[in-house]
Amino acid sequence: MTTPASTTIAVTGATGHLGHLTLQALLKRGVPAGKLVALVRDPAKAADLAAQGIQVRQADYKQPETLRAALQGVNRLLLVSSNDFDDRVGQHRHVIDAARDAGVDLIAYTSILNADRSGMILAGDHQATEALLRESGVPFTLLRNGWYTENYDLKGAVKNGAILGAAGTHALNPAPRQDYAEAAAAVLSTDGHAGQTYELAGDEGVTLADLAAEVARQSGQPVAYHDLSADEYARTLAGFGVPEGFAHVLADSDTGITRGELASGSRDMSRLIGRPTTPITQAVTDALNA
């Protein structure tokens, strides 16, 4: 059932990749621009959204007073998980509390695939946030997002002749951000999603060796997957300038791949978006041509 025309939908992190794409997907689904609210830390960076007629409101996860004001009159909220790892759970708590106080009818939260059974470091904050939602009293939907194909620098892989990782021969089910954005837009713009948990992942399972082979095929350049131990991968990333702590988190995520934590046979995403998820061949083409 389509959302009533009176429903106001807000998206946090609206100048980020996923938030911006979700707002565009909502417009394509026929949601009036005047019923969309872009929540951003810096409104000056959202001029393109304002030009589309979308309401732009200043909101900072770390400043609860901005959240309370920004969420007034909002019916449905997409809480995009913070990309600031300084007390992410506390930041999410601020948004959830403000949404409850503002009378928001539904929070859709971008969690992580298989959050309930994942041992990845990245999963910890999502597990804690899911618990906050259960305790909040606000109806919610869990959008457990898998890996984005954009997490891999495929142009860099062509340049360097390699994709590095510590995932062995184990598969994951990635998809482009656009697919996840369309799934979020479907949940926000239709009824019947409160209390639901969606395991969102690409239809195809691929290994990093598969990904490297497809990049090599399309680019015409030699690209191979180099499998490292988690410790060696973390040290290599740190050597490339990735902060040591985050390098460890990324290597740990590849360890999660070896446990199947970023793989899924779910077809929740393709059902929500009404089409198969973007094939890995097309995702590679798009990445190389971006």
Side-chain angles (χ1 to χ4, degrees):
M1 184 182 298
T2 304
T3 299
S6 60
T7 300
T8 297
I9 301 170
V11 175
T12 71
T15 53
H17 294 297
L18 183 63
H20 194 280
L21 286 171
T22 301
L23 285 168
Q24 301 311 307
L26 285 163
L27 289 172
K28 288 180 181 177
R29 292 182 68 89
V31 178
K35 288 297 181 179
L36 295 176
V37 178
L39 301 178
V40 298
R41 279 182 294 184
D42 183 0
K45 295 181 178 179
D48 62 323
L49 297 174
Q52 291 181 287
I54 295 171
Q55 302 176 56
V56 175
R57 301 181 187 176
Q58 200 270 331
D60 190 320
Y61 289 179
K62 294 184 176 181
Q63 298 177 16
E65 66 279 3
T66 68
L67 296 165
R68 286 192 290 271
L71 290 174
Q72 293 304 310
V74 168
N75 303 106
R76 295 180 183 176
L77 171 67
L78 177 64
L79 170 51
V80 177
S81 56
S82 174
N83 61 5
D84 178 349
F85 286 82
D86 178 16
D87 187 20
R88 281 212 299 178
V89 179
Q91 294 175 50
H92 296 163
R93 184 194 300 274
H94 290 158
V95 179
I96 293 166
D97 288 350
R100 179 197 61 217
D101 294 346
V104 170
D105 299 322
L106 179 76
I107 299 174
Y109 171 65
T110 61
S111 187
I112 194 168
L113 188 66
N114 301 313
D116 54 339
R117 64 177 182 85
S118 179
M120 291 166 49
I121 293 171
L122 275 178
D125 289 345
H126 294 295
Q127 291 161 350
T129 301
E130 289 189 8
L132 290 176
L133 286 165
R134 293 186 184 97
E135 296 163 3
S136 71
V138 181
F140 64 89
T141 305
L142 299 179
L143 305 176
R144 288 180 171 167
N145 287 357
W147 235 221
Y148 304 145
T149 52
E150 292 92 341
N151 288 354
Y152 298 99
D153 178 8
L154 301 187
K155 285 185 176 179
V158 174
K159 179 180 178 181
N160 298 314
I163 291 176
L164 304 181
T169 58
H170 299 268
L172 66 159
N173 288 73
R177 282 193 187 91
Q178 180 65 40
D179 288 1
Y180 293 100
E182 290 182 25
V187 166
L188 292 165
S189 63
T190 58
D191 294 333
H193 302 287
Q196 298 297 312
T197 296
Y198 296 115
E199 302 287 353
L200 301 179
D203 294 342
E204 295 174 88
V206 297
T207 67
L208 294 186
D210 294 333
L211 183 61
E214 183 59 28
V215 173
R217 186 186 71 80
Q218 292 198 28
S219 67
Q221 300 297 316
V223 180
Y225 171 55
H226 293 181
D227 190 52
L228 310 173
S229 70
D231 286 344
E232 186 180 4
Y233 184 36
R235 288 195 299 270
T236 302
L237 290 171
F240 291 152
V242 177
E244 186 174 343
F246 192 54
H248 177 62
V249 168
L250 292 175
D252 175 78
S253 298
D254 268 26
T255 302
I257 292 173
T258 70
R259 298 190 297 264
E261 292 167 5
L262 288 175
S264 177
S266 168
R267 293 295 182 268
D268 285 348
M269 186 145 68
S270 53
R271 283 192 291 268
L272 285 170
I273 66 180
R275 61 169 174 80
T277 60
T278 303
I280 196 68
T281 52
Q282 185 62 51
V284 169
T285 299
D286 293 343
L288 294 180
N289 292 330

